């Protein structure tokens, strides 16, 4: 084993895990694999990885154990039977789940003498190992620093702090935007399609709108700072103006006979602000009602 390319045990071979293992093999790490469905390991074994017969054998093979599983329950299903073998090892769990579930998992690992680092992978499998990929990490800093070089080939590490829930929280916050954007584009496509516009005609324009929305949200003032300070200057785009448009979207959706869950939710945010007498402030005033503080 080379000091700069220590051996790694990798558990979980969905599309993500497979891409990560390829990247880590490419970086020269000896890799021991385990996967519930052993057949998924075959191509990776052909590329140089070693398949363990059992989770116990996989855990024994390396100090660093990386998990890429559907959720945290899968980790317990695999590692609980071998928890007495975890002492002194480091688990890096790159699976998605709730931040509290993640914190409890870290406590579980520590009870068994293991280190625990949480990761949130910010891109799809084809982006693994590319410059565009970054990965949020949180957990004990010294532990992260020990393994940072081994993790780096997967994507640019973005270490957030010692709280193991943080990486999961940042991941979920990003996915909140991502999933809502995906659904909004599909909803808008359906709105146009109900009037006879082929999805192929409008979909690319809506995707462009997602990009432009990001640019519009970022210009000028420091919006994030204003949100923290409860400051919502609204000269350019008031909540009343935007709320009228939200109402038009809902009305048009009803007329088109398409689903109205998303535009109803959207309109309800604007209604809350306008009904509270804050319609002249910026659309960002919705934040006060979404976070349910005293608006
Ligand atoms: P999949 O759900 O396709 O695969 C996950 C792995 O989990 C498989 O190896 C599967 O085993 C294993 N698994 C699930 N349940 C159990 C269980 N109870 N016991 C044992 N093994 C189990 O996920 P992906 O590879 O797509 O993603 C992995 C993680 O990365 C997820 O948490 C996902 O949210 C996250 N992620 C994924 C992205 C993507 O684009 N795919 C993007 C960013 C994050 P088996 O092969 O036997 O089914």
């Amino acid at each position: 084993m080379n000091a700069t390319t220590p051996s790694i045990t990798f558990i979980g071979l969905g599309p993500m895990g497979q891409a990560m293992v390829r990247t880590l093999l490419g970086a020269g790490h000896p890799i021991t694999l385990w996967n519930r469905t052993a057949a998924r390991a075959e191509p990776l074994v052909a590329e140089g990885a070693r398949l363990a017969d059992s989770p116990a054998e996989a855990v024994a093979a390396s100090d660093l154990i990386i998990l890429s599983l559907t959720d945290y329950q899968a980790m317990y299903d695999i590692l609980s039977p071998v928890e007495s073998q975890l002492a002194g090892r480091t688990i890096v769990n790159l699976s998605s789940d709730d931040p509290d579930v993640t914190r409890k998992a870290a406590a579980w690992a520590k009870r068994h003498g293991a280190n625990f680092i949480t990761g949130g992978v910010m891109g799809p499998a084809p982006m693994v190992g590319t410059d565009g990929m970054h990965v949020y990490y949180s957990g004990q800093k010294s532990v992260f620093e020990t393994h940072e070089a081994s993790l780096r080939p997967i994507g640019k590490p973005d270490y957030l702090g010692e709280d193991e829930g943080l990486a999961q929280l940042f991941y979920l916050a990003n996915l909140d935007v991502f999933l809502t954007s995906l659904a909004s584009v599909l909803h808008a496509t359906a709105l146009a399609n109900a009037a006879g516009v082929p999805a192929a005609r409008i979909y690319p324009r809506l995707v462009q709108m997602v990009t432009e929305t990001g640019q519009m949200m970022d210009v000028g003032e420091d919006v994030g700072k204003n949100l923290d300070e409860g400051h919502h200057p609204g000269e350019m785009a008031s909540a009343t103006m935007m709320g009228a448009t939200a109402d038009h979207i809902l009305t048009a959706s009803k007329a088109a006979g398409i689903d109205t869950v998303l535009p109803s939710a959207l309109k309800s945010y604007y209604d809350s602000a306008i009904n509270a007498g804050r319609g002249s402030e910026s659309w960002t005033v919705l934040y006060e009602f979404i976070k349910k503080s005293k608006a």
Side-chain angles (χ1 to χ4, degrees):
M1 190 201 321
N2 184 317
T4 56
T5 53
S7 68
I8 296 172
T9 288
F10 201 102
I11 298 179
L13 297 177
M16 242 335 160
Q18 293 183 34
M20 289 175 180
V21 169
R22 282 204 172 87
T23 299
L24 292 168
L25 281 171
H29 291 276
I31 305 285
T32 300
L33 303 172
W34 189 84
N35 195 56
R36 181 179 60 180
T37 307
R40 287 181 108 169
E42 283 169 15
L44 298 166
V45 169
E47 292 170 42
R50 190 177 75 84
L51 179 62
D53 283 338
S54 63
E57 190 188 328
V59 166
S62 321
D63 288 342
L64 175 59
I65 301 164
I66 303 180
L67 308 178
S68 176
L69 299 163
T70 305
D71 54 22
Y72 270 53
Q73 185 54 49
M75 175 191 75
Y76 290 118
D77 291 349
I78 297 165
L79 294 184
S80 288
V82 295
E83 59 194 19
S84 62
Q85 284 180 240
L86 295 176
R89 305 185 196 280
T90 294
I91 298 169
V92 176
N93 196 335
L94 303 178
S95 316
S96 169
D97 214 309
D98 176 83
D100 282 341
V101 169
T102 300
R103 291 184 185 104
K104 284 184 188 138
W108 166 80
K110 286 174 192 169
R111 276 200 306 279
H112 296 288
N115 301 310
F116 195 92
I117 297 290
T118 309
V121 181
M122 292 312 306
M127 269 175 72
V128 169
T130 68
D131 289 346
M133 177 63 106
H134 72 277
V135 185
Y136 293 125
Y137 290 102
S138 64
Q140 196 180 324
K141 190 169 188 198
S142 57
V143 174
F144 169 73
E145 286 173 348
T146 299
H147 298 288
E148 183 177 0
S150 298
L151 297 168
R152 188 168 283 279
I154 294 172
K156 191 171 169 228
D158 185 355
Y159 176 76
L160 298 170
E162 301 249 337
D163 167 10
E164 290 88 358
L166 264 186
Q168 199 69 258
L169 182 66
F170 273 58
Y171 172 79
L172 280 190
N174 277 273
L175 269 285
D176 189 352
V177 174
F178 179 59
L179 296 185
T180 308
S181 302
L182 298 187
S184 72
V185 168
L186 294 179
H187 189 276
T189 303
L191 180 62
N193 187 248
V197 178
R201 184 169 176 210
I202 191 156
Y203 181 83
R205 289 172 166 84
L206 297 172
V207 172
Q208 179 64 25
M209 183 63 197
V210 175
T211 307
E212 288 167 8
T213 302
Q215 289 161 356
M216 282 186 262
M217 292 175 82
D218 207 24
V219 288
E221 63 210 328
D222 185 345
V223 178
K225 185 164 170 286
N226 284 345
L227 291 175
D228 279 334
E229 293 171 355
H231 182 49
H232 306 287
E235 303 79 28
M236 298 301 287
S238 74
T240 298
M241 180 277 285
M242 301 278 267
T245 303
D247 186 38
H248 301 154
I249 295 168
L250 179 59
T251 303
S253 298
K254 283 179 182 165
I258 66 169
D259 185 80
T260 56
V261 169
L262 207 51
S264 297
L266 193 59
K267 182 174 179 307
S268 79
Y269 289 148
Y270 283 97
D271 285 349
S272 297
I274 293 164
N275 293 340
R278 302 190 64 172
S280 62
E281 296 177 56
S282 159
W283 61 273
T284 61
V285 76
L286 269 57
Y287 184 58
E288 307 298 339
F289 299 88
I290 290 169
K291 69 178 188 173
K292 305 252 188 218
S293 66
K294 293 189 206 89

